[in-house]
Every structure is written in C-alpha cells, then in structure tokens.
Amino acid sequence: KKRVIGEVKLKQQTALISQVSGVLTQLNIYDGGEIKKNQLIAKLSNPQIVHDHKRLKNELYQLESKIALEMAQRHLLILSKKNEIEKTKLHLELERLKYDGKYTLAQNGTVSSFELKSAEVEVKMIEQSLEKLQQELLHHETIFNLEKSSAEKAVATLQGELLLAKEKVHQLNIYAPITGRVLKVHEATTIGASISEGELMAELYKLDELAIRLRVPPSTAKQFSVGLKAKIDIDEKQIEGEIFFIENKVSNGASYVWIETSEPLAKISSEGEQITAHVELPVKDHVNTLRKPDWYAGAGQYQIYCMRRQELSPCNVELGDTDGDYIELVDNHHSVQGFEVSQNKHWLGNTIKVVK
C-alpha cells in the first residue's frame, strides 16, 4: 500500500452571480451553511427596476385599451358598410323587377320609351352605387387588417419589454440554484453593499461534488491507475474509496489523483480538510533502488551523476518513495552502470569527469 497525503476538494462548484444590480438588503447564507434549491438566500433593492416594470405595465394597459377602441370603431364602420351594401342590393333587385315590368309594358305600347329609359338609368345608378360601396368595404377591411397587424406587433413588443422587466424584478430576489452547501460568500457581499450585474456573490457546491484529491510526485502517479482501491483516514474514521481520475498535467512538480469515497464526504468532512489515504498498489516483479542520500527530499526529479563507461557525468533521474534506507529509482537507465549518490547533487558544468 502507498500512503499519500491529500485533501477534500470539489470536483465542480457553482458560482452565484447577480443577474441585476442593486443594494443588498437581505443575506441568508454564510460560509459552510447548507442550502436547498429555490431557497431565498438574498434580496436586492433597485427602485428603478420596480418603476420600469410598473411603467411598462401601465403603457401596455393603455395601448391595449386604445387599440381595442380603435378596432371596435373600425369594426363598426365595416358592419355599417356591410348593412348599407345589403340594403343597396335589395334596392337594386327591386328596381330590376320594376324595369322588367316596364319593359314588358313597353312592348304593348302601354309604357313610353322615356319611362323605360328612366328605369334603366335608375338600375345602372344603383349598380354603380353598389360597386362603390363594395370597394369602400374592401378598403376599410384592408385598413382594419393592417392596423390590427401593426397593433399586435406593438403589443407583442411591449409585452416582451414587460416580460424582461418582470424578470428583473423577480431577479431582485435571489434563490439557491442547487441543493448543497455554501463554499464561500464573497467578501463584497454584505448588507448595504452595492451589487453590480454579473458580480460574483458566492460559491456553492452540491453535497455529492466532494472528492479527495491526492497531490503526489509524478513517479508515484505512474504507479496509480483508475479503479485502484484506497482507504482514507478522516477524523479517526476509515472509509473506502477508489481512484476515478488521474490528471495528465504536472503542476508545481506534482500530479493530482482523484478518489471517490464509498459514502458521502459531506457528512464527515468539508472542503479543504487534509486527509491520509492508503492506496493499494499492484505488486511489482522488480524495483530498482538506491541507498538514500542525505540530500533526498522526497519523490521527484533530481540532477545527480551517472556512471557510463567509467565516466561520471551529470544526468536527470526521477526518484520515488523511500522505505528509510533506500529510494526507488523510477527512470529506467539501461546504459547507466552506477550512480553517484554523495552530496554532489547539482551540475558541476558540462565537462565530463573521467574516473580512473
């Protein structure tokens, strides 16, 4: 087993960011406090946002009332034209019947040609009047449809603005986006503070987002693999875990290995707590070792001296962990016959030293 020191870290965290600007009037969270999704955790005050919402609401009401009145008046005008057309049609039908009667009588000489011509003119005048009324009706209906479409667009635009304004009013009340715990409340997030839109107010995390991150030398990380079992000591309690992720990059001379535990860490630990993990390593057939020099300071990269063909020259090696007397040689130096592990651990220059 490999004994490694690590800490409880977050796999992922949630940033609580203000969606609107305002003065903070209420704050219901603190570092380490638990939160539930949709819980009210803060309130902002912004009179301008509230005023804009009321103004747009009134403007929409007035616009809808005005449009409703204008559309009603236009609709009444259209109905009036339709009624006038129906009356004219009846009148035209009656005059046509009169003309047909006079035409028959004119054949017998009972009605003069002048009276017949007068009846014919009357029919044509009514037909022209009917055609004019129908054109006027079509004109009014076209205007009605255009005004209705324009009014609907104006209402939709104002409704969109009102919806955004309403959302801003709602955003003055800040609710927890997740169920979990507060990692840290931002130092500027205090009662009475002026909060800007987009400002970070706090950092949150879900209870199941805690894991253990081991900081190990690259040589040790090479011995680990996903799925390896581990036992973790936390507050005099030992729980089981398993490696689920190994970071590829090396940062500050170390690699990072992540472990998931068999039970939720949130119940027994918190972010940042130092822990000890015992990782079960696969058995190796052969391990190269060197006697531990005084300058050994832990697993990592070192510059020492390698013996090649009776010549002692500077070389880079990666040394692993120690059992107290010996250290593991991680690099596989096939051409190296031996190593100088005295106090000479730094470069002496580029000149090769010939050993007699």
Side-chain angles (χ1 to χ4, degrees):
K1 290 184 179 181
K2 178 75 69 174
R3 180 178 178 274
V4 188
I5 303 299
E7 62 180 331
V8 178
K9 296 289 288 183
L10 285 170
K11 294 182 286 183
Q12 183 178 341
Q13 63 190 47
T14 301
L16 182 67
I17 297 175
S18 175
Q19 302 300 309
V20 294
S21 60
V23 176
L24 188 63
T25 58
Q26 184 176 330
L27 184 64
N28 304 326
I29 56 174
Y30 54 89
D31 291 359
E34 293 191 3
I35 53 173
K36 292 184 178 180
K37 188 174 182 178
N38 298 325
Q39 170 191 340
L40 179 64
I41 57 178
K43 278 188 176 184
L44 297 175
S45 174
N46 189 323
Q48 186 62 49
I49 288 178
V50 177
H51 170 75
D52 289 345
H53 175 252
K54 289 182 178 179
R55 174 180 58 78
L56 288 170
K57 193 174 182 180
N58 289 333
E59 285 181 10
L60 179 61
Y61 174 77
Q62 292 174 4
L63 178 62
E64 288 177 333
S65 299
K66 179 184 177 183
I67 290 172
L69 178 60
E70 292 176 351
M71 290 297 100
Q73 291 173 341
R74 182 69 66 180
H75 186 63
L76 286 174
L77 182 59
I78 290 173
L79 288 178
S80 176
K81 287 294 178 183
K82 286 182 177 180
N83 289 334
E84 194 173 351
I85 287 172
E86 292 301 319
K87 289 179 181 179
T88 304
K89 284 181 178 179
L90 290 174
H91 187 201
L92 177 61
E93 186 177 353
L94 178 61
E95 292 301 321
R96 280 174 175 171
L97 289 173
K98 287 181 180 181
Y99 173 80
D100 290 342
K102 288 183 178 182
Y103 181 81
T104 302
L105 292 174
Q107 298 300 318
N108 299 328
T110 307
V111 174
S112 65
S113 58
F114 177 77
E115 289 179 303
L116 181 62
K117 189 64 176 178
S118 297
E120 183 182 353
V121 170
E122 182 67 21
V123 169
K124 288 184 178 180
M125 288 178 63
I126 296 173
E127 287 176 343
Q128 290 175 353
S129 178
L130 178 61
E131 184 178 354
K132 181 180 178 181
L133 287 172
Q134 288 173 333
Q135 289 176 351
E136 290 176 354
L137 175 62
L138 179 62
H139 174 71
H140 287 304
E141 287 179 334
T142 301
I143 292 177
F144 176 82
N145 290 330
L146 289 174
E147 289 180 346
K148 182 180 178 182
S149 176
S150 177
E152 288 174 347
K153 289 180 180 178
V155 169
T157 299
L158 203 52
Q159 284 177 336
E161 293 178 9
L162 179 61
L163 187 63
L164 291 175
K166 183 179 180 181
E167 181 65 18
K168 284 189 175 182
V169 171
H170 177 73
Q171 288 170 344
L172 290 172
N173 294 329
I174 302 172
Y175 298 89
I178 59 170
T179 294
R181 187 172 289 167
V182 180
L183 175 63
K184 180 178 178 58
V185 178
H186 195 265
E187 58 184 11
T189 306
T190 57
I191 299 296
S194 180
I195 305 297
S196 302
E197 181 179 346
E199 182 174 337
L200 176 64
M201 298 181 67
E203 296 170 33
L204 319 172
Y205 65 92
K206 295 180 180 179
L207 297 180
D208 59 356
E209 290 292 348
L210 284 177
I212 292 172
R213 189 182 73 169
L214 307 178
R215 186 178 187 276
V216 299
S219 59
T220 302
K222 291 177 181 178
Q223 303 175 57
F224 291 166
S225 61
V226 174
L228 285 182
K229 303 299 181 182
K231 293 187 182 295
I232 300 97
D233 296 327
I234 300 179
D235 292 338
E236 300 181 355
K237 179 179 180 179
Q238 192 172 78
I239 59 175
E240 295 183 351
E242 181 177 300
I243 294 177
F244 72 93
F245 180 63
I246 300 174
E247 296 184 16
N248 290 325
K249 64 180 181 179
V250 176
S251 178
N252 295 324
S255 297
Y256 292 97
V257 178
W258 291 81
I259 295 178
E260 277 186 330
T261 54
S262 57
E263 58 182 279
L265 282 171
K267 294 182 179 180
I268 55 176
S269 182
S270 58
E271 208 273 344
E273 181 176 351
Q274 299 292 315
I275 56 91
T276 301
H278 304 274
V279 183
E280 298 177 1
L281 296 176
V283 177
K284 294 185 177 180
D285 296 331
H286 176 70
V287 177
N288 293 323
T289 60
L290 296 172
R291 182 172 294 280
K292 188 183 78 168
D294 295 337
W295 47 260
Y296 176 77
Q301 295 283 339
Y302 288 87
Q303 293 174 331
I304 61 174
Y305 289 85
C306 302
M307 179 74 73
R308 293 185 177 91
R309 296 182 298 277
Q310 295 187 340
E311 293 182 346
L312 191 65
S313 60
C315 63
N316 291 337
V317 296
E318 184 176 350
L319 303 180
D321 291 329
T322 179
D323 61 1
D325 296 321
Y326 291 89
I327 53 178
E328 181 183 356
L329 175 62
V330 179
D331 289 347
N332 186 14
H333 292 76
H334 296 290
S335 63
V336 176
Q337 300 164 330
F339 294 92
E340 166 60 52
V341 290
S342 66
Q343 296 305 313
N344 297 323
K345 62 179 184 295
H346 298 293
W347 291 94
L348 295 179
N350 296 323
T351 304
I352 296 176
K353 309 297 180 183
V354 179
V355 178
K356 297 182 181 178

